[in-house]
Amino acid sequence: MATPAQWVEGARLRTLPMAAAPVIAGTAAAQWMDAARLGPAVLALLVALFLQIGVNYANDYSDGVRGTDDDRVGPLRLTGSGAASPREVKTAAFVCFGLAALAGIALVVVSQQWWLAVVGVLAILAAWGYTGGKKPYGYMGLGDLFVFIFFGLVATLGTTITQAGRLNLESWVLAISTGLFACALLMANNVRDIPGDRAVGKKTLAVRLGDPKARLTFTAELFVGMVLPLLLVPHNPWVLLIYAVTPLAIGAAVTVLRTTDRRGLIPVLKQCGFINLVVTVLYAIAVLVHQYLG
């Protein structure tokens, strides 16, 4: 039986900043329209966090039962290591999905954006279908696309619209940036796992591209994600605050491009989540400073 510490490790808390970032970004975009609302923001955050933890447990279960995690470099996998039974891990995933659904229902009711209920169902199906089911799309190289859509566009734009009732340029720019940062994290993870994934037939985008091109793709995702907010500078010069994270982004790119030891890519995952989180927090600060100080 897995210990509480192992369950926490299996939840992969280092990925949670990537879930929180689009909610912060979407709320900041709503605040730019003087429409930020605490209640919907908190509910959106709960949806994002529970979905992310659910995805992590679901991936642990599905990869474990398929044998993908039998020879993997990285943190503990509950199923693959035998620390928890597949049934226990699957149950944990669905409990998290259920909690995300409850928070999502409350968000729909509070915001009166009823159509988002359909989006919520699709998000849960996408969360499970990444590595679960008979034809998991994560094994076909489509994981990056779905991550961009749900952890970038849907999470950010959905957060903004549940508070402001409409979208603006800021919400779109931030949605694309956060989506690209999420894709960069996934790419770094999948570059690390290329040998094991290729051996078991898991054709992630990194496997399909091959090692050198996958590393370049990571760098491009990080670069474009950092550059896009420059579009917002004419509206708010304080947006330049986000470039305080530039050294960290450069460091992550250099690590991915140069390291030959795949274990050396593990810290990059945390760095990508931190970059995404800090960029969105600094953008939120930039909005408040502009509104109150000009």
Side-chain angles (χ1 to χ4, degrees):
M1 179 179 293
T3 65
Q6 288 175 319
W7 280 108
V8 170
E9 186 175 357
R12 296 165 66 186
L13 300 184
R14 71 180 184 279
T15 63
L16 296 190
M18 201 64 71
V23 177
I24 296 170
T27 300
Q31 179 59 29
W32 183 253
M33 297 182 280
D34 293 315
R37 298 168 58 197
L38 180 61
V42 171
L43 289 172
L45 181 61
L46 290 174
V47 172
L49 294 178
F50 282 129
L51 271 179
Q52 182 64 63
I53 296 173
V55 167
N56 293 338
Y57 282 139
N59 292 347
D60 187 305
Y61 163 77
S62 297
D63 284 341
V65 297
R66 283 188 169 90
T68 310
D69 284 342
D70 288 350
D71 185 26
R72 184 180 293 276
V73 176
L76 171 76
R77 298 304 197 276
L78 293 165
T79 308
S81 68
S85 71
R87 182 175 181 179
E88 289 174 328
V89 179
K90 184 178 181 181
T91 298
F94 277 91
V95 167
C96 291
F97 292 152
L99 293 172
L102 290 175
I105 291 170
L107 179 59
V108 168
V109 172
V110 168
S111 67
Q112 299 291 292
Q113 298 288 341
W114 303 105
W115 60 274
L116 283 176
V118 177
V119 177
V121 172
L122 293 176
I124 291 175
L125 291 175
W128 173 252
Y130 177 57
T131 55
K134 294 182 179 180
K135 295 183 178 180
Y137 61 83
Y139 280 62
M140 298 184 288
L142 297 175
D144 303 72
L145 175 62
F146 278 78
V147 162
F148 178 76
I149 291 173
F150 285 99
F151 285 93
L153 301 184
V154 170
T156 306
L157 300 178
T159 297
T160 300
I161 207 165
T162 54
Q163 296 178 50
R166 58 193 177 92
L167 302 174
N168 54 5
L169 174 64
E170 287 73 15
S171 61
W172 280 103
V173 169
L174 294 170
I176 295 171
S177 286
T178 57
L180 288 171
F181 290 141
C183 288
L185 186 153
L186 180 61
M187 184 62 69
N189 181 79
N190 289 343
V191 168
R192 180 198 67 193
D193 294 336
I194 283 177
D197 287 344
R198 184 181 285 129
V200 297
K202 185 176 181 180
K203 298 180 180 179
T204 63
L205 182 58
V207 170
R208 291 182 179 277
L209 289 173
D211 194 287
K213 290 182 180 179
R215 292 172 189 258
L216 289 174
T217 299
F218 167 88
T219 304
E221 290 168 340
L222 206 56
F223 176 78
V224 176
M226 288 293 298
V227 169
L228 270 178
L230 287 174
L231 294 172
L232 305 178
V233 171
H235 302 270
N236 180 4
W238 290 101
V239 169
L240 292 173
L241 284 172
I242 71 173
Y243 293 98
V245 302
T246 299
L248 183 59
I250 292 174
V254 169
T255 298
V256 171
L257 289 173
R258 293 185 177 180
T259 187
T260 55
D261 183 355
R262 295 185 187 276
R263 290 174 296 182
L265 297 175
I266 295 174
V268 175
L269 308 184
K270 184 177 180 179
Q271 290 169 1
C272 286
F274 184 74
I275 290 168
N276 201 1
L277 182 64
V278 173
V279 164
T280 56
V281 169
L282 289 177
Y283 176 76
I285 292 173
V287 170
L288 294 175
V289 170
H290 184 271
Q291 289 182 329
Y292 292 101
L293 299 181

